[in-house]
Amino acid sequence: SAREAWQALDMVLRMGVFGLVISEGAPPPSVALRLERFARRSNAAWVVLVRRTGVVPGAALRVQFEWKAPAVEAAGRYRIAVRAVRNGITRSAEFSCDVAFPYRLCDDPGLPDRRARAGCRV
């Protein structure tokens, strides 16, 4: 449950053995303030991943990433827009990068797949 997840995060931050703690989803404001206090005491960076834009209680910094589709002539090369907001000050940057997929996710695995698939000839 969500309550158990926040309790587990509470214990991890109290232990103070991790320099970086990442959680998915923003906790309620009262819980967020307590977790932020534990993160500061243990000198840890607590990162909250959320799908929606908005304000996360107790956030010192908000970072948004936006993937921009590659142009036809530059297939596999993406533009990424990064926007950081802290204390009302916004900084933005864009950069390009090549996206390389791991071997298992490639279109051409290099080895034939010998498993039978429904509706396919082997």
Side-chain angles (χ1 to χ4, degrees):
S1 70
R3 182 174 183 221
E4 292 171 333
W6 301 129
Q7 287 174 345
L9 183 59
D10 184 286
M11 289 184 351
V12 168
L13 288 171
R14 279 188 199 203
M15 289 185 332
V17 296
F18 297 103
L20 174 63
V21 178
I22 301 173
S23 65
E24 185 177 357
S30 60
V31 175
L33 293 175
R34 187 176 73 243
L35 294 173
E36 178 192 3
R37 189 172 41 232
F38 290 140
R40 286 180 191 258
R41 285 183 188 161
S42 63
N43 202 24
W46 174 36
V47 177
V48 179
L49 303 176
V50 292
R51 292 184 185 267
R52 60 177 170 72
T53 59
V55 177
V56 175
L61 174 71
R62 185 174 81 190
V63 180
Q64 295 174 318
F65 296 93
E66 179 185 350
W67 287 84
K68 297 188 176 184
V72 175
E73 66 275 359
R77 190 139 180 94
Y78 284 79
R79 297 281 304 164
I80 300 174
V82 180
R83 183 173 166 237
V85 180
R86 181 176 184 175
N87 297 333
I89 299 171
T90 302
R91 298 279 191 241
S92 299
E94 281 195 22
F95 59 94
S96 61
C97 68
D98 292 321
V99 177
F101 293 102
Y103 177 73
R104 295 178 137 203
L105 298 177
C106 290
D107 291 335
D108 179 23
L111 299 173
D113 186 1
R114 301 200 188 281
R115 295 175 290 174
R117 292 186 181 153
C120 294
R121 295 185 312 184
V122 179

